[in-house]
Amino acid sequence: MNILAVGAHPDDIECFCSGTLLRYRAAGHRIFLALTTSGNAGSNVIPTTAEVAATREAEQLVAARGYDAEVRFLRFDDQGLHDTPQTRRAVRSAIRWANPDVILTNPPWDMSTDHAVTGKLVADLMLSLGGNLHPSDVPPITKAPSLFFWDIAAGLRFDPEAYVDISEHAEQKASLINTHVSQRAWMGEFFEDDFAEASMVLSRLRGLQSGTRYAEGFVGYQIQGFVADYRLLP
Ligand SMILES: [Zn+2]
C-alpha cells in the first residue's frame, strides 16, 4: 500500500504517527510525507523565516529517512494556514501525488490553528480526489483512501477509536522526534517537559489504555461511502 502522512509542521508526523509509519514500513509499504507549512516562524534564535524553513525542512528530511519516505513541502506560512483555493489545490495535488491507500493527518478539532486547518483541508478534499474538474497539478486518482486523524498534544480532547501497538518501535520513535533539533530548542522555551519525552508520555498513555506498552491512537474519517477501513491500520 501507499501510506501518506500530512502534517501541519515538521515534527507533527514524528510526534503523532511515526511508530505507525515504522510498522507500515517494516511490513513493506511505501511511505509519503506532505507538510502544509515548514514551521517557518518556529524560532527566536534563527533570524529569518526563510532560514527557519530551511532548517526545519532539513530536519524533516533526516526524519523521513527513518521510513525511506518521499517528502513534499507545500510551504505555506506557519501560523498562517487558511482554507483558500490555493491551499486546497496544493493539498489535493499532494494527496494525488502519493496515490494513497491510507492517509494519516492532524484532527480538525485540534486547537492549534495550522493543525486544524490541515486536518479540515484533507477531510474536505476526500470527495474531490477523483474528479477531473477540481484544480490540481496532478491528475485524478481512482482510489478511495481511508483517512485517520492522529492524536492531539497531551491527548487533550482526543478519544481514540483505534490503537496501533508501537512498542517495538518506541525507541526509534523517540530518536526520530529528536531529529527536530531546532524545534526541541524552541519548545524548550515554553514547556517544562522535554519535547520528545512529552510525546512518549502520550504514547505510553495510549499503550496503557490499549493493553500494550506504547501505542498511537487514531479516529477514522466517516462520511457516506467513505468510512475509513480500520483493518488497514497495522
Ligand atoms: Zn504542529
Side-chain angles (χ1 to χ4, degrees):
M1 293 192 296
N2 289 357
I3 312 299
L4 170 65
V6 184
H9 310 112
D11 79 18
D12 287 357
I13 291 168
E14 281 63 48
C15 287
F16 297 117
C17 75
S18 56
T20 300
L21 293 182
L22 289 165
R23 281 201 56 180
Y24 275 126
R25 184 65 198 140
H29 301 294
R30 291 183 68 198
I31 312 297
F32 297 82
L33 312 181
L35 286 299
T36 51
T37 87
S38 293
N40 62 356
S43 178
N44 274 346
V45 180
I46 303 169
T48 67
T49 53
E51 289 169 280
V52 178
T55 300
R56 298 197 62 186
E57 288 184 12
E59 292 167 353
Q60 182 65 72
L61 290 172
V62 172
R65 281 190 226 135
Y67 341 98
D68 298 318
E70 293 183 45
V71 186
R72 188 172 174 117
F73 295 106
L74 309 190
R75 300 197 169 108
F76 294 100
D77 278 334
D78 190 12
Q79 302 298 311
L81 190 70
H82 300 286
D83 183 349
T84 68
Q86 290 75 27
T87 54
R88 284 188 166 234
R89 181 184 184 112
V91 173
R92 183 183 294 112
S93 299
I95 297 171
R96 290 176 171 185
W97 159 77
N99 191 23
D101 298 278
V102 175
I103 305 174
L104 309 174
T105 193
N106 298 99
W109 60 96
D110 192 320
M111 296 278 170
S112 156
T113 174
D114 294 337
H115 291 188
V117 173
T118 297
K120 174 98 170 33
L121 282 167
V122 173
D124 283 358
L125 296 173
M126 289 292 283
L127 302 185
S128 75
L129 300 178
N132 275 324
L133 299 178
H134 297 287
S136 175
D137 306 319
V138 181
I141 60 173
T142 54
K143 289 178 186 170
S146 286
L147 169 61
F148 297 95
F149 301 111
W150 61 54
D151 218 317
I152 294 177
L156 292 166
R157 293 185 175 165
F158 192 90
D159 289 318
E161 295 172 341
Y163 296 85
V164 173
D165 179 358
I166 63 158
S167 304
E168 284 186 17
H169 299 283
E171 261 179 53
Q172 200 179 351
K173 173 171 180 165
S175 70
L176 287 176
I177 294 170
N178 282 328
T179 62
H180 296 280
V181 176
S182 68
Q183 193 63 6
R184 194 175 184 185
W186 171 241
M187 287 290 133
E189 294 186 24
F190 307 105
F191 298 115
E192 186 81 13
D193 291 304
D194 176 78
F195 172 54
E197 188 189 358
S199 282
M200 297 314 294
V201 166
L202 178 58
S203 295
R204 180 71 193 92
L205 171 66
R206 299 312 184 198
L208 177 70
Q209 292 171 341
S210 58
T212 59
R213 188 70 190 159
Y214 289 95
E216 287 169 345
F218 297 94
V219 169
Y221 168 81
Q222 299 189 357
I223 193 168
Q224 184 183 2
F226 289 87
V227 174
D229 185 347
Y230 293 78
R231 296 166 298 183
L232 297 182
L233 288 171

